[in-house]
Structures are given as structure tokens and as C-alpha cells.
Amino acid sequence: MATSGAGDGCSSLNGIVSEIEQKQFTNLPAELLEYILCFPVLKHVDICNVSCSCKRLHDVCHGRGKVWGHQYKLRWPRLQKHYRQNECCDWLKEYRTRHTVGVQIRRTVVSISQRFFTEVVSDIESLGAPEHFCEDELLSILNSDRRKSLTLKYYAKKILYFLRQKNILRSLKMFLEQPSEQQSALEGAVLVDQYCNPLADVSYDGISSQLEEITDKINKMLRIKNPSHPSLRVTQGDCFAVDDFDLQRQVVVTLNAVLYEQLQYKGNECDYYNPLNSYIHQVLLRRTGIPISLSVLYMTLARKLGVQLEPVNFPNHFLLRWCQQQRGSGDIYDFVYIDAFGKGKQLTAKECEYLIGHQVTADYYNAISTTEVLLRMVGNLLNIGKRGEGNEKSYQLLRDSLDLYLTINPDNVQYLLLQARLYFHLGIWPEKVLDILQHIQALDPSQHGAVGYLVQHTLEHIQHKKHPVEPEVKRRSAPEHLELQYSVGLIMKHKRSGYNCAIYGWDPKCTMSQEWITTMRVHQLSSGANQPFYNVLVQDGTCRYAAQENLEPHSAPLEIAHPEVGRYFSEFHDSHYVANEELQTRYPEDMAETLGTVQDLYHRLIQSQSPFSLSNFMKTY
């Protein structure tokens, strides 16, 4: 750690010392010296310099003292949650370690951005440092200037995503090792939520706190109906069961009134296949969900109030069952079935079949374990991922849900093969693909044909990675590129569809297949496929391939909120994006063209006296 170059803090200290004789200063009580050296103006470099000036001050600035503890807390406030209050530790050692980790992390992020520009970052091994230090540095990168260091942030986000998922998967495995009677469907649902949303602030304690608030509302209404109800005498966290059926009914009726009438929870019929319906924190935030997520919420609330409901893996419509007879009954007609998606409606066994329009066997009315609940929940997400549009968002959901499903059920050959095919299709993690294929072969030798095909092509991919092909360099000054009007980094508007976008690549002619050209009706354009086409990042999060005649520079360029922006650009410069090093290598002459186009647009706006504010453009020049 550097000890030179003291800043304003050191001069402030010199000012203090200049008023007091140095000898008198060092003879001050240690507590007073510590108080002075904890002034906010003093930085770590100043403390290093002070501690080197004499033995007395060196002793005051010892590693376990208040001075370095103050410096540590001042620089990395987010890390304070990892220490007990008034904990005594070697703060100087912690400071040095955290500083060193920060340098390593930034170097790692930079090296990844250079190495993995053309593929998704997927396999990042442990960085050999305390994970909370790594996470804190990554968050520092992500929370820096919003418009700058976009590429650094892009890969920092991927590393943070990976590190958090690794920890959540570890927690899920520990959860699954617990005895089934100790497993909570809510806790499992939170782990699924966290794994699919590792960058969101989702915690079991936070979710439980929200459910306690709903429970309090139910108790408040229940107290009006029956002040002596046994549920009202139970303290938070106690496990109990109300045996009397009439008292159970009072709980269920009140729960329905609060959840569906007062709080307006409902099944999301309009946007059923939105993955947000499966994430418990989004169900609580949006007050809408699908049968299984609403059932987990409903069942958890009922159990808090003494009513034991059981999950039922009914086809196409998850349900809960409520025993109306002596516990342990196996007769499906001894239960009332609750449809949490249908506002808590109570159904008989026969009425359940009306929900799906056909008869089912008695097995489908059985209660299932928490593990089976999670498999159904993750299976829903997996199906949504398979239904996706083939963009990075749907691929990410498919990858995450496959990871979860195979953690719970590691020997499912169908999904193992799907996972291997997905990684093969994305061109990532070839070594893991071989491991998966070997596992499939051991589980089911009949899959030899599919496994053999993927093994052969995966080995070819590994060989290809050892001898990577240099990316094509496209110079707009080349004779075949003379028709190009636009360049990477420009903010554009699509004339027909109206969307805003940023250019991150181009071709002198359309390079898509004939099938795509026909489907997209390219032949109806005035120049057809025989014109430049541009790769663009669209405001809605999609990537598109647009014809030159359909694009025009945006008159009021704004940032494009696309998750892939940092993959191609280093910063947003008020009116355009600046290509990062990798993109500039591929399009070496484009940035000068982009600046020229922006400047021309600026002059045209002045001449036309456009009402659009020119402040953004003026910052550029």
C-alpha cells in the first residue's frame, strides 16, 4: 500500500501540529491523539505518514486501534455488516487485504473483458480472496459513474452474478439435505427466487417480515370476529395447530378476506407466462402470481395461524388440500381443495376436474413434499425459458432453471441432455458439456447416438478455442463499404417501428439466410437485401438487424437501457456511445465517423433552431 503523496488531510494535520510544539503534541493522551487522527479530512496515506514519524505515533496507529478501524469503516462502509459491533480485529491487516483484493478484482474484470468479448462469461473460478471483499469491490465498480466504465461494469456484473449464484446453490444443497419435515416451501421458493435474481435484494428474513405484516392484518380482522380465537394467543415463530374445524374455518375465511379483498391479490390470467409470477418477492410486490406461487404464500400464512394445508401437484393447476376428517385420511373426498389462484375458492374433488376439463386418477390428489413443490416451480420456469424468443434473457432463464432442476434432481436424463445442448448451442463451457455427456452415458446408454454427436462437435470446439480466429476487421474506407452511411456508437431511430437503438455492428449487405429475408419481407424494401444492414441494441432489450433505409440518426439521442451495452461500449458521451477497445479493433475507422455525424447533426439543429435542448451536444465539444 502506497505511503507517499499525502493529500489535503496531511496539510490539515500539519496545521494542527504547527500550533502545538511537536513534543507537546506527542505527549497528549492516546485517546486524544486517536480522536485527532480520526478527523474525516485524514486519509489512509496521511495515517501511514504520521505513523512513520515517531515511535509514539506509530504505537497510537497500531493495527487493532481506533485509527485504522476508522479508516477501514470510512472507505468500505458496506462491509460493516460482516463485523460484530465493537469487534476487535487487526484493522490495518483488514485494510491491506481489502485494498489488495480490490486491485486483483479490477485486474480480473479487465482481463475477462478482453478475453471473453465474443462469448458469455460462464466459468469463473474462485478468485482466492474473501468473497465479501470481492463482492464489495464489484459493487463499487457497478455503483460508479452511471455513464462511464460500461464495459468494466458489464463484466463486473457477470462475475457478481456468478459468485452469488454459487453461494445460493450451496445453500440450496444444504436445504435439500435437511429432513423433509424441516423443509419449508417458503424457504425453498426464496432460494429459487434468489438464484434466478442474484442481483436483487431478496432475503428469507425480508420475505418473512412481509408475511408477518399480512399475518398481523389477518389477526386484526380475526380479533373482531372472535377475540378468544387461539391463533391470537400465539407469539411469532411458534408452531401450533388449531384442531377445532370451526376455528380453522374462521382462519381460512379471514385469510381470504384479507388476501383477496383487502390486499387485492389475484391470479395473473393476462400475463400467465411471465417469470415474475414465480418469484416470491415479485408476487408480494405485484400482488399477483400463478397457482403454485400463490399456493406457497397461502399455505405459509395458514400455517402461521394454525391451519395445516398440504400442497397438491394437480395437473395444470396447483392446489392445496384441507382435511375435513381425522388426520391421516387417504380418501380424496375427505378433503376440501383450495384454489389460491382463484381467490381461495374451495372445491370438492370432482370440482377440481372441472378446472382442467378432464378426469384424473386419485394419485393426483395426494399431498407432495417440499422437494416436489420446488421441482414443479422450477419446471414452470424451465418451460417459460424454452418458450422464449432465443435472446440472452430467455437463455439465461433456461440456464438458471436447468441448474436448479438438476440440483434437485441430478439424474434427469432429459434435462441433462437439454443442458448439454444449450451449452453447446451457446458455445460456452465445453469442458462441462463433456462431463454432462459422460454422466448421461452412464445413466442411460441408449442415448449413445445423441451423446456421440455432441461429444464429437464439442471436442472440435475445444480444439478451435486453442487456435482462435482473429475477429474480422471492417474498414469503412474499403471500396465494398462505400454505401455505408452510419457507424457504431450512433443513437438511431427506426423509421417504421419507431424504436430507439444504438449501432454496434454493420454489414455492407444483408448476411441473413434466405428464409429470414423472406420472413422479414426484406424484398419489399426499395433496396431489398442489397444495402447495408446494422446490428442494433434496442431500447426494449432486444438485438435486431435493421436495413439502412429504415434508420435515421436520433434528433434527441438518449442512453439505451440495454443489458448488452457494456459489451460493446465503454461510455455514453452525451450524444453517442464510445466503442470499447475490442469494438474499435473490429471497426477501427468508425469512431471518427461517429463524431463527424454527431457534429453535423449539432450544426443542423442550430441552423434549424430546433426547440430540442442542445446542452447535451455542447458538452461534447
Side-chain angles (χ1 to χ4, degrees), residues 84-144:
R84 294 187 302 274
Q85 191 172 9
N86 299 322
E87 179 178 358
C88 181
C89 68
D90 191 333
W91 292 111
L92 178 56
K93 184 179 178 181
E94 291 288 287
Y95 194 103
R96 285 172 172 160
T97 304
R98 172 61 184 83
H99 176 80
T100 303
V101 169
V103 173
Q104 291 174 342
I105 288 290
R106 287 183 180 263
R107 285 175 181 167
T108 300
V109 176
V110 170
S111 70
I112 287 174
S113 68
Q114 293 170 347
R115 180 181 173 191
F116 293 103
F117 174 60
T118 56
E119 59 186 68
V120 177
V121 179
S122 60
D123 187 14
I124 302 169
E125 295 299 327
S126 172
L127 298 172
E131 288 189 357
H132 60 286
F133 282 3
C134 297
E135 180 165 318
D136 187 66
E137 183 63 31
L138 292 168
L139 287 170
S140 297
I141 293 172
L142 292 174
N143 293 332
S144 59

Side-chain angles (χ1 to χ4, degrees), residues 27 103 310 330 365 412 444 523 537 553 562 567 584:
N27 284 336
V103 173
E310 298 174 301
Y365 291 89
N412 187 299
D444 185 0
H523 61 279
L537 302 174
H562 193 286
R567 185 172 182 175
Q584 288 194 44

Side-chain angles (χ1 to χ4, degrees), residues 9 12-13 16 32-43 46-47 67 70-71 74:
S12 300
L13 182 65
I16 295 171
L32 184 54
L33 287 173
E34 285 178 335
Y35 176 79
I36 293 171
L37 294 174
C38 285
F39 277 13
V41 294
L42 299 177
K43 307 301 180 187
D46 303 319
I47 302 305
V67 177
H70 171 76
Q71 285 294 325
L74 193 67

Side-chain angles (χ1 to χ4, degrees), residues 474-483 589:
K474 296 183 176 181
R475 298 184 181 278
R476 57 191 309 111
S477 59
E480 63 271 24
H481 299 156
L482 295 181
E483 293 184 20
E589 300 172 350

Side-chain angles (χ1 to χ4, degrees), residues 271-368:
D271 193 15
Y272 191 89
Y273 294 103
N274 189 330
L276 299 183
N277 295 324
S278 294
Y279 304 143
I280 203 72
H281 85 281
Q282 289 288 348
V283 173
L284 289 165
L285 177 67
R286 301 160 73 235
R287 301 190 182 185
T288 186
I290 53 176
I292 190 168
S293 56
L294 289 171
S295 291
V296 169
L297 177 63
Y298 194 106
M299 177 174 62
T300 304
L301 290 168
R303 288 185 177 181
K304 283 178 176 291
L305 296 161
V307 179
Q308 304 301 308
L309 303 179
E310 298 174 301
V312 176
N313 204 15
F314 205 67
N316 302 322
H317 201 106
F318 200 86
L319 297 170
L320 298 169
R321 72 178 194 178
W322 176 21
C323 188
Q324 306 292 290
Q325 301 296 330
Q326 189 173 1
R327 293 185 183 279
S329 171
D331 190 337
I332 65 172
Y333 296 101
D334 286 344
F335 293 87
V336 164
Y337 299 86
I338 296 177
D339 179 11
F341 185 80
K343 297 188 175 182
K345 185 177 181 181
Q346 297 175 18
L347 307 168
T348 65
K350 193 64 182 174
E351 288 172 330
C352 292
E353 295 179 343
Y354 298 150
L355 284 174
I356 58 175
H358 60 84
Q359 292 183 330
V360 295
T361 61
D363 293 343
Y364 285 104
Y365 291 89
N366 291 336
I368 60 172

Side-chain angles (χ1 to χ4, degrees), residues 45-229:
V45 213
D46 303 319
I47 302 305
C48 287
N49 291 333
V50 166
S51 64
C52 294
S53 62
C54 69
K55 185 178 184 305
R56 168 69 169 155
L57 291 176
H58 180 272
D59 293 340
V60 172
C61 298
H62 66 90
R64 295 184 176 275
K66 291 182 180 179
V67 177
W68 277 110
H70 171 76
Q71 285 294 325
Y72 185 87
K73 294 168 186 176
L74 193 67
R75 185 163 179 185
W76 297 294
R78 279 192 300 266
L79 291 175
Q80 296 317 300
K81 62 184 179 182
H82 297 282
Y83 301 93
R84 294 187 302 274
Q85 191 172 9
N86 299 322
E87 179 178 358
C88 181
C89 68
D90 191 333
W91 292 111
L92 178 56
K93 184 179 178 181
E94 291 288 287
Y95 194 103
R96 285 172 172 160
T97 304
R98 172 61 184 83
H99 176 80
T100 303
V101 169
V103 173
Q104 291 174 342
I105 288 290
R106 287 183 180 263
R107 285 175 181 167
T108 300
V109 176
V110 170
S111 70
I112 287 174
S113 68
Q114 293 170 347
R115 180 181 173 191
F116 293 103
F117 174 60
T118 56
E119 59 186 68
V120 177
V121 179
S122 60
D123 187 14
I124 302 169
E125 295 299 327
S126 172
L127 298 172
E131 288 189 357
H132 60 286
F133 282 3
C134 297
E135 180 165 318
D136 187 66
E137 183 63 31
L138 292 168
L139 287 170
S140 297
I141 293 172
L142 292 174
N143 293 332
S144 59
D145 190 329
R146 181 172 57 89
R147 295 184 169 191
K148 297 184 182 296
S149 304
L150 300 181
T151 301
L152 201 65
K153 291 176 184 176
Y154 176 78
Y155 290 103
K157 187 174 181 180
K158 284 189 174 295
I159 296 175
L160 185 60
Y161 197 101
F162 174 83
L163 290 177
R164 286 190 174 177
Q165 280 196 328
K166 190 174 66 171
N167 288 331
I168 297 162
L169 214 55
R170 189 185 303 130
S171 298
L172 177 59
K173 289 175 182 176
M174 292 172 58
F175 172 83
L176 295 171
E177 289 170 357
Q178 296 176 0
S180 57
E181 64 274 9
Q182 294 180 17
Q183 293 175 351
S184 152
L186 178 67
E187 186 177 352
V190 170
L191 286 167
V192 170
D193 188 345
Q194 289 175 327
Y195 193 81
C196 293
N197 303 282
L199 302 181
D201 184 17
V202 181
S203 70
Y204 180 71
D205 289 343
I207 298 297
S208 297
S209 177
Q210 292 182 67
L211 292 189
E212 285 300 331
E213 291 178 9
I214 298 176
T215 304
D216 290 343
K217 293 179 186 296
I218 297 170
N219 280 333
K220 185 176 180 180
M221 185 176 290
L222 190 60
R223 186 173 287 107
I224 296 172
K225 295 181 178 181
N226 182 359
S228 62
H229 196 284

Side-chain angles (χ1 to χ4, degrees), residues 239-268:
C239 291
F240 75 106
V242 174
D243 294 323
D244 184 84
F245 181 73
D246 287 334
L247 293 174
Q248 287 186 32
R249 182 176 293 279
Q250 289 177 16
V251 169
V252 172
V253 169
T254 309
L255 195 163
N256 286 344
V258 171
L259 200 63
Y260 300 111
E261 295 174 21
Q262 182 179 334
L263 298 178
Q264 295 289 301
Y265 277 78
K266 63 181 183 300
N268 195 343

